[in-house]
Each structure stands twice: as C-alpha cells, then as structure tokens.
Amino acid sequence: MSARYPFTAVVGMADLRLALLLNAVSPAVGGVLVRGEKGTAKSTAVRALADLLPEVSVVAGCRFSCDPAAPDPQCPDGPHEPAAAQSRAARMVELPVGASEDRLVGALDIERALAEGVKAFEPGLLADAHRGILYVDEVNLLHDHLIDVLLDAAAMGASYVEREGVSVRHASRFLLVGTMNPEEGELRPQLLDRFGLTVEVAASREPEERVEVVRRRLAYDDDPAGFAARWADDERELRERVAAARALLPAVELDDAALRQIAAACAAFEVDGMRADIVMARTAVALAAWAGRTRVESADVRQAALLALPHRRRRNPFDAPGLDEDKLDRTLEENSDPGGGPGPDGPEEPGGPDGPEDGGPDGGGPDGGGGAAPPRDEPRDGAGGEPSVPEQAQPDPAEQPAGRSGPQPSSGSSAQAPDSGQGAPDPDAPAPSQGTASSGEPFAARTLTVPGLGEGAAGRRSRARTSHGRTTGSRRPQGTLGKLHLAATVQAAAPHQHARGRRGSGLLLRRDDLREAVREGREGNLVLFVVDASGSMAARQRMGAVKGAVLSLLLDAYQRRDKVGLVTFRRGAAEVALPPTSSVDAAAARLESLPTGGRTPLAAGLLRAREVLRVERLRDPARRPLLVTVTDGRATGGPEPLVRARQAARLLAADGTASVVVDCEAGHVRLGLARELAAELGGEAVTLEELRADAVTDLVRHTTDARSARQAGKHTGRAA
C-alpha cells in the first residue's frame, strides 16, 4: 500500500486545512462539508488528515472499537470484562456513493434470528468508523435515505439496526467529512445544516502556486514513500500540535462576551434554529485551543462565523452560500466587550502571535501545516486559502443563481414593449436585437408525474418500486435479502414443517422460504424542459411569466430530487442550453440569462429534445423522462412548420415519452395550437394559470362545493 499524500504538503487551501484541523482537535464541531470544482485536491486533503489523528486504544477483539477505559455497555460484542487493550491508528472509512443501507449500518442474519433466536450481526461502515473519520466523496449524489441514516448516527453518536422486532445498537462517533462538486447538484438546506462547517475551495489562479502543485504531485507519483519521508518531520510536528490542542481544549474559557457575539452574529444573518450558535461556540473554542490560548477572543468568533454560517444562510434552494464580511464585522464590533481582548481587527489572529507555522521545507506561507487563517487584509485566491465566499468583480450572468424573491433586473435589454395601438406586432419577424426578460415571481407548482410504475432512482415524483415505501407484496429475494416480509416467509415455510421433522415450537426455516417485501415509493425523473424563446413569446410580454413558471417547476424538481435539462429554440434553430444534470440551480442560472427573439422552430426543438432523451436513455435506462414543453404552439420558418412540428411530436409519442405542454398563449382570441400539440404528444396541456398548485386546490374546492350543492338540491326536491 503506497503512502498517503502528506497533509503538510498540500499547497494553499488554508480554510480547508483549518476546518479539518479544528475537527481533529474537537470532533464535537460536527464535521466538514467541502464544496468545490473538480480537480481541487478535496479528497487528497481529507485522506491526508487521518495520519494526523492520535492513535486510539481499543478493547482487543472488539469489532466496534470500544474504549477500554469506558466500554459501551450495549456493545453487541460485550459485555467486556477487563481485558488487554491495544492501540491502533485512527481509521478513515470511505462510504461509496452506491453503498446499500446494510453496508452502511450493518446487517442482521434474519434466517438465524428467526430460526435460532440469535442476534447474528455483521457490522457496517458506521461501526468501522467509530472513533475515526467517515469520509463521503460526492455526498450530494448519495441517496437521501442513506444521508438521513448517516446524519442521525453522527448526531446521536450511535447506530440502530432494526429488523422485524430484532434490534441492535452500537456506539458510532466519528468525524464526518463530505466533499461535493456543486455542478452535480446541491444538498438540501436541512442536510447542509447538519454539517458543522462548510468550506468553498477553488483552484489557484496564481501561476507560481499552480507550478508548485504540479511539482509536488509529480514528485509524489514518482516515489510516494520517498516524498512522504521528506515531509515526515512536518507531519510529526503538526500531529503533536493537534494532540496538544486536544489536551488544552477542556481548559478554554468561553465567556459571556463571546457568547453574545456568537448569538448576535447568528441573529444578524437570520439562520434557522440553534445549531449554528452551538457549532460556532465549539468552533471558537477549538480555534482558541489551536492557537494555544485558554480564552476565546473576538477573532476566534469571527473565524468561526466564516466557517459555520455561510451554508446556513440559504433561504431557498437556489441561493449560493455566502456571508457579508462587512456586516459580520459591524455585528461583532457592536456586540464587543469594551474591556475584552482584541476585536476582529486586533493584532492577534487565531494562529497565535507568531502567525501560521512553517509547514514545509519551503518555509512559511499557506503551504505549511499551521492551518491558521491568514489576516483578513491579505488577498487570498484560488487554492491558496481563498475566503469562504470568493468575490468576483464581474460575475458571469450565466453562472449566477436566478433571483428568487421576485423579478430581477435584466442583464440585457428588456422584452419588447407592448403594442401601442398601431396593430399587433408580427411574431414571425426577426427581433432587432437579442434581449433577456427577468423571471416572474415563482410559485408552488402542481405536481406533474410520469404515468405507470417505474424502478428508477429514489426520489419524490412518480410511483416506483423502491427499497423504502409502503409494502405492496412479497417476492423471492433477488440477490441479498432486503426487507423481510415476515408473514409471507412464515406462509412459505409452514407447509413443510412436518416433512422437515419439526418437534418443538420453533419454526424450521430454509433459505428458499425467505420472502422479501415489495415496496412502492417514489422515484426521481429526468425533467427535460423545452422552452420556446422566440419572438412570438417576447412580443406578447409573456417571457417573464414563462420564466417564472419554469423556475417554479425547477424548484419543484429540486424538492423531488429530479435530474433536469434545458432545450431552447429560437431564430431558426434549437440548442441544448443545459445537458441533463442533477444541478437544478445551474438550470435556473441558464434560464435567467436565456435570450429571446426570432422565429419559432418548434419542430427543431422537439427533435433536439428527442435526441437528448435517446442519449440519456442509454446512460440511465431506469430513470424515466418527463418532457415539459413550454410554448404557445406557434411554429414558423421553413416549409409547413406546423406539419413538421406535429410529425416530431408523434415521434416522441411513439417513443413512449411522458409529456406535458404548458400553454403560454394569451389574448382573447386563442388558436389552441398548444393543446393540439399536446394531443400529438399524447400528453396533457395546462395553462400558466393551471400550473399553480393553489389554482388546482381552488378547482377541487369549487368542484366539491358544486357537487355538494347539487346533492343538497336533490335531497330538498325529494323532501318536497
């Protein structure tokens, strides 16, 4: 096995290294979520942390790593008599994205449990990670139910396995570290909140720093053991500093002045609940211990806020994590203790009076293992210790989240002006210039589903056979036994008891008797939006409302754990504005900057959507698609545009694609072209007004009231 890349050899990324080291000092901080683009050494830094943790003393032979000084009284391998202890290195356990629940929490041998009454338990990854590190790469791609189990164990310090009345509990306390690329999809806000700290990382834009990264990586690849040996002294020093900070931690004083600053910062940034206050307090204490101090100072509170608050400020799913540092400084200054230590601009930083330690042979600077935050006045960029919220002087509109609380300023010219009485504008005329319309107010959208019963990835949209949900039947196990269907198992075994020579009260089981439950839940779908961005939409001032409707559907897709894609058509052609992705906020950003104008190549848009679905079907055949076409049904450009559009629609219908057409036609005189298109697609047509969930509720209420009135009238007539 080759040596790990040394932690002290990691170039830059001061915030990431500091967050990891603070959790090594105080696991009670609650773990770290590392967000960043691909190729930024997120995994390398996390894996390197394991070598810095002190060795742990465990009960010899215990599969659950019980502490000999305080063994778990409910350990499945216990009770532990006084026995020889052994020391071993702290483990770093990796949870694969495709892991099953049994692999995570462990599994009971149901056959032995029923036949022999024995709790035969095979430990899972949560047991392996006890008193170590549990690392989840691409945590945003992990199934929701696994994330729930994982975070519950992290919060309670124990794992519970329950199957058909048989339960096992064991201690599970670990340092939880997750990494993710936001381009591949976000974590839900309530799950973000369960991580103590969050750090944003990005590659450095400084050529010299990038050169050093490449130089060190090539040296490591050529000779891992030799490279690690050159950094052994720095690793040892940093390991000793972690141990010293752990020993100092109980002596650190968190006075009322620091607590007031913590509470004021959480209140000023309107974070939900009290978890942020608690995490900030623990982080500030760990920062003081890391700096070798026994008193929390204002600078510790400030750094704790930068690590613990940004991801808790997201008010809706499309908000980017961030923190206004000027507002933070004002809040801390207003709530500072006049007689206390230095404020956020004081002379001492959390790294101590001497600043960051030297961490490598190159001397001081962010490449070492000191891990202290650099002074806030120094520029920090890329992987060289960038701030939690990188500032960009000129943000790219295509990369920024769309506004969520109301109409946002347009990045280009506004949509065409309404008709001034000189006659209706020609929708087929090419637009004089390309423009973008601001999104309208988003709303709660009605639920659109794919008919039938699928077997795709777990989600919250369409009916599907899943590992979690209500039990609808039973079947023979297909591979490893999942959820046991007890009644069906007993029914299968009962006719054979006499032939098997049963004498006592126990049920004689064979593997062929076992039946697993068939469950029905919900799956996530691929929602492919085909949006008409032509002049006929812009000329009628509908594009703002259309964007608001699509944004509302994107919010719904986010909540239902769908993949999304975006195809647009205008000016005689169609393009894939966003290939299918789990990053719904990327789709929202592309939607916000969507230009409008030109002719309406409806057929091209439908055919491009069909090609996207064909390719995606090969990549992920189990995920069923839902095509949402947003148009007024008009088609222009080329010979017989409507005929070609209907032919394209019939091809999609022949493929079995579930479709919904959002009818954007406006005005007193309506041609009904969108509804005709929906009929060709074999799907449903809804207007922008009908897309609202409250409109559906009002319709149901109106229908119910009318039915009740008719029934009351019938009873009155009979009485007369």
Side-chain angles (χ1 to χ4, degrees), residues 44 55 90 117 190 201 225 249 338 414 436 445 457 514 521 561 596 647 710:
T44 299
E55 289 190 342
Q190 60 267 41
V201 297
L249 193 69
S414 61
T436 57
L514 297 178
R561 313 302 286 170
T596 60
Q647 290 173 344
R710 287 196 300 270

Side-chain angles (χ1 to χ4, degrees), residues 109-112 114-115 474-479 481 484-497 500 507-516:
D109 189 331
I110 300 297
E111 185 176 2
R112 290 189 63 193
L114 290 177
S474 64
R475 66 182 178 187
R476 292 181 182 273
Q478 299 176 353
L481 176 67
L484 179 75
H485 195 296
L486 183 58
T489 298
V490 172
Q491 289 176 353
H496 307 292
Q497 296 304 296
R500 293 174 183 172
L507 188 68
L508 297 180
L509 286 178
R510 301 290 184 268
R511 183 161 295 278
D512 289 344
D513 300 330
L514 297 178
R515 298 291 184 271
E516 67 179 3

Side-chain angles (χ1 to χ4, degrees), residues 92-118:
M92 196 195 75
V93 178
E94 294 195 38
L95 173 62
V97 170
S100 65
E101 185 174 351
D102 284 348
R103 183 71 186 99
L104 177 61
V105 302
L108 289 171
D109 189 331
I110 300 297
E111 185 176 2
R112 290 189 63 193
L114 290 177
E116 305 173 26
V118 176

Side-chain angles (χ1 to χ4, degrees), residues 262-277:
I262 290 171
C266 293
F269 289 104
E270 301 179 351
V271 297
D272 295 329
M274 295 298 298
R275 184 176 283 119
D277 302 65

Side-chain angles (χ1 to χ4, degrees), residues 187-208:
L187 278 173
R188 291 176 295 171
Q190 60 267 41
L191 298 181
L192 277 173
D193 184 57
R194 301 294 289 272
F195 284 92
L197 310 179
T198 295
V199 177
E200 298 276 342
V201 297
S204 173
R205 299 298 183 259
E206 291 294 329
E208 289 302 320

Side-chain angles (χ1 to χ4, degrees), residues 192-463:
L192 277 173
D193 184 57
R194 301 294 289 272
F195 284 92
L197 310 179
T198 295
V199 177
E200 298 276 342
V201 297
S204 173
R205 299 298 183 259
E206 291 294 329
E208 289 302 320
E209 194 165 273
R210 296 175 74 96
V211 166
E212 185 62 23
V213 170
V214 175
R215 180 183 294 119
R216 294 186 186 183
R217 186 68 209 191
L218 293 178
Y220 171 78
D221 291 340
D222 289 341
D223 183 10
F227 184 83
R230 290 196 295 273
W231 292 85
D233 291 342
D234 301 286
E235 291 283 289
R236 185 183 64 257
E237 291 176 6
L238 191 56
R239 190 181 303 112
E240 291 172 355
R241 186 176 176 188
V242 169
R246 278 193 172 193
L248 182 62
L249 193 69
V252 176
E253 177 189 358
L254 180 67
D255 57 23
D256 288 345
L259 283 173
R260 278 194 296 273
Q261 285 189 319
I262 290 171
C266 293
F269 289 104
E270 301 179 351
V271 297
D272 295 329
M274 295 298 298
R275 184 176 283 119
D277 302 65
I278 296 171
V279 170
M280 272 191 65
R282 290 172 174 166
T283 304
V285 170
L287 279 161
W290 180 244
R293 289 186 269 100
T294 57
R295 183 174 181 272
V296 172
E297 298 180 352
S298 184
D300 301 323
V301 175
R302 183 182 191 277
Q303 184 64 48
L306 293 176
L307 294 172
L309 295 187
H311 62 294
R312 292 184 166 90
R313 290 200 62 246
R314 296 182 65 185
R315 312 311 299 175
N316 68 61
F318 297 150
D319 287 344
L323 202 67
D324 184 341
E325 295 193 32
D326 291 335
K327 180 179 178 180
L328 174 63
D329 289 338
R330 290 194 302 271
T331 301
L332 296 180
E333 180 66 27
E334 291 168 1
N335 292 273
S336 63
D337 183 2
D345 293 326
E348 188 171 350
E349 289 295 324
D354 298 327
E357 290 186 345
D358 279 358
D362 300 328
D367 300 345
R376 57 188 286 269
D377 293 331
E378 293 183 6
R380 293 173 287 171
D381 55 17
E386 72 286 1
S388 298
V389 187
E391 296 181 0
Q392 297 178 358
Q394 297 295 332
D396 182 356
E399 300 298 329
Q400 300 300 312
R404 307 301 158 238
S405 60
Q408 301 292 313
S410 172
S411 59
S413 60
S414 61
Q416 297 181 23
D419 182 21
S420 58
Q422 302 298 325
D426 181 7
D428 299 338
S433 62
Q434 177 174 297
T436 57
S438 300
S439 297
E441 183 78 20
F443 51 82
R446 60 176 288 189
T447 304
L448 306 176
T449 60
V450 177
L453 191 65
E455 294 184 347
R460 299 183 175 184
R461 183 171 296 279
S462 305
R463 294 175 54 221

